[in-house]
Amino acid sequence: MSDMRFTTDHEYIRIDGENGIIGVTNFAQEQLGDIVFVELPEVGKRIAKGEQLATVESVKAASEVFSPVSGEVVEANAALEENPATVNEDPLGAGWFVKLRLTNEGELSGLMDEAAYEAHLRSL
């Protein structure tokens, strides 16, 4: 069983102990096109579910990324500042955005599992 959950806006969260690793899905990075800049939050920032987590600029447009759950940023992926294209190359791996310490694990139940997300993609 996958430890990943998804939003309808194509963000993902992968659970790692008490933290969640958040990024955008492969579908999202394909829709954005070549990503040229990623703005991430400061470590220690508290973010509520649905609040803006990051900004992504691509050759097509700038987009906001929203947090799928509430928590405190414990790490931002500084490697994306040097190479934002990592999001295009490996969105579910090295292209993660932040690690968030979850403050309400119950919010995870409102997110889609992998099968539900795949069904969501087929409905688009």
Side-chain angles (χ1 to χ4, degrees):
M1 184 170 145
S2 173
D3 59 350
M4 296 184 79
R5 296 289 182 264
F6 302 87
T7 69
T8 56
D9 292 329
H10 311 290
E11 292 98 2
Y12 71 83
I13 181 167
R14 184 175 54 244
I15 305 306
D16 181 25
E18 66 179 10
N19 296 328
I21 301 169
I22 298 172
V24 296
T25 65
N26 191 52
F27 178 85
Q29 70 81 19
E30 286 179 350
Q31 296 299 305
L32 289 165
D34 294 335
I35 295 173
V36 296
F37 179 76
V38 178
E39 181 179 11
L40 299 173
E42 297 288 325
V43 171
K45 182 176 181 178
R46 293 185 169 270
I47 297 178
K49 177 183 176 181
E51 192 175 2
Q52 182 179 339
L53 181 71
T55 301
V56 176
E57 292 182 20
S58 70
V59 293
K60 292 182 178 178
S63 300
E64 296 175 337
V65 176
F66 300 99
S67 184
V69 295
S70 301
E72 179 181 344
V73 176
V74 293
E75 186 177 349
N77 188 355
L80 296 183
E81 293 176 11
E82 294 292 322
N83 187 11
T86 303
V87 178
N88 293 114
E89 297 160 2
D90 190 14
L92 302 180
W96 61 274
F97 286 14
V98 301
K99 294 182 181 177
L100 201 69
R101 181 177 299 119
L102 307 180
T103 55
N104 184 355
E105 290 187 29
E107 293 174 342
L108 294 170
S109 65
L111 301 173
M112 294 180 280
D113 63 15
E114 194 167 338
Y117 181 68
E118 288 175 9
H120 172 67
L121 290 178
R122 288 191 297 274
S123 73
L124 300 178

